[in-house]
Amino acid sequence: KQEVTQIPAALSVPEGENLVLNCSFTDSAIYNLQWFRQDPGKGLTSLLLIQSSQREQTSGRLNASLDKSSGRSTLYIAASQPGDSATYLCAVKHNAGKSTFGDGTTLTVKP
Amino acid sequence: SAVISQKPSRDICQRGTSLTIQCQVDSQVTMMFWYRQQPGQSLTLIATANQGSEATYESGFVIDKFPISRPNLTFSTLTVSNMSPEDSSIYLCSVEWADRANIQYFGAGTRLSVL
């Protein structure tokens, strides 16, 4: 059974800092890995998706990497802003089509 | 991207009643899923909604409690039956297209409180 762990559970940084969120998974037989953000009481917004054959994806200030052999993915946020404050979730999709979600990292960016 | 409409956005219900949640997508999708997010927790997959046939439920979820319909490729419903306070959660609809790299998109969710 796939297990997905996100560290840290919560993170508070001053505006402008670069930061890294971590996601680890136990079964490397994945189809893809997707990062989401969730604002309080809201649904999930897709940020980046990395296919199993890829090593990284970039969108604006966000960069996500994938190392299947070590069971890890990182989400790098450059020059953080207060609007980046949210919970960030990673989801690992298995070859069978189902996704397993981590518990998320709650990020607070202070002005 | 996709337009995924989920209704209702929130509801407060009495114990023992049932609530049906609707998920409507603006184009035909390959896969539709229903998730539950209990307070302070991450997402748990309830079932995969299959078009024209019975949904595929995950361990711990049963059809009598969470009946699901998917009459076509753009619409699905989830019913939470005989509700108890433990059913208070956010329920989320998710869709994928096989020809769009299987990126998962979510509706805004239904926040359910059971008294």
Side-chain angles (χ1 to χ4, degrees):
Chain A
K1 179 185 173 185
Q2 179 76 273
E3 294 182 2
V4 180
T5 303
Q6 290 188 244
I7 295 174
L11 182 63
S12 181
V13 300
E15 181 176 5
E17 270 203 11
N18 303 324
L19 57 101
V20 175
L21 307 181
N22 297 291
C23 172
S24 62
F25 48 93
T26 54
D27 185 349
S28 62
I30 69 172
Y31 183 74
N32 63 37
L33 185 147
Q34 195 167 353
W35 283 93
F36 297 88
R37 72 172 278 167
Q38 185 176 31
D39 294 288
K42 305 290 186 181
L44 277 68
T45 301
S46 178
L47 297 174
L48 289 166
L49 180 140
I50 309 177
Q51 298 290 359
S52 175
S53 59
Q54 297 174 326
R55 293 194 63 84
E56 67 175 343
Q57 284 286 332
T58 298
S59 176
R61 295 182 294 110
L62 305 179
N63 176 276
S65 68
L66 174 64
D67 184 343
K68 278 176 48 179
S69 62
S70 66
R72 292 182 181 180
S73 177
T74 61
L75 179 66
Y76 175 82
I77 302 177
S80 58
Q81 304 170 357
D84 295 330
S85 298
T87 296
Y88 290 81
L89 296 158
C90 72
V92 177
K93 179 177 284 293
H94 315 281
N95 292 333
K98 305 174 196 176
S99 291
T100 301
F101 281 77
D103 288 338
T105 295
T106 299
L107 172 65
T108 303
V109 181
K110 299 177 181 178
Chain B
S1 188
V3 177
I4 305 169
S5 300
Q6 196 172 329
K7 296 179 180 179
S9 59
R10 59 175 58 223
D11 208 339
I12 300 173
C13 300
Q14 295 297 319
R15 182 195 298 260
T17 62
S18 298
L19 176 71
T20 295
I21 302 168
Q22 298 181 359
C23 179
Q24 176 76 55
V25 192
D26 64 346
S27 63
Q28 294 183 348
V29 298
T30 309
M31 306 286 286
M32 296 185 81
F33 304 95
W34 287 99
Y35 286 86
R36 180 176 73 181
Q37 187 176 30
Q38 294 178 301
Q41 298 188 24
S42 190
L43 280 72
T44 301
L45 180 64
I46 297 171
T48 302
N50 300 310
Q51 192 262 330
S53 64
E54 189 173 293
T56 304
Y57 289 85
E58 296 301 304
S59 175
F61 297 96
V62 296
I63 188 171
D64 289 346
K65 176 67 176 177
F66 298 101
I68 289 170
S69 77
R70 188 180 172 189
N72 55 51
L73 294 176
T74 64
F75 184 78
S76 178
T77 65
L78 167 73
T79 299
V80 186
S81 302
N82 188 24
M83 288 184 284
S84 66
E86 292 71 34
D87 294 319
S88 298
S89 295
I90 298 175
Y91 292 86
L92 294 146
C93 168
S94 169
V95 303
E96 293 181 12
W97 288 264
D99 61 353
R100 300 188 197 181
N102 289 105
I103 297 174
Q104 241 183 326
Y105 296 96
F106 281 82
T110 296
R111 181 182 289 273
L112 172 62
S113 297
V114 184
L115 305 178

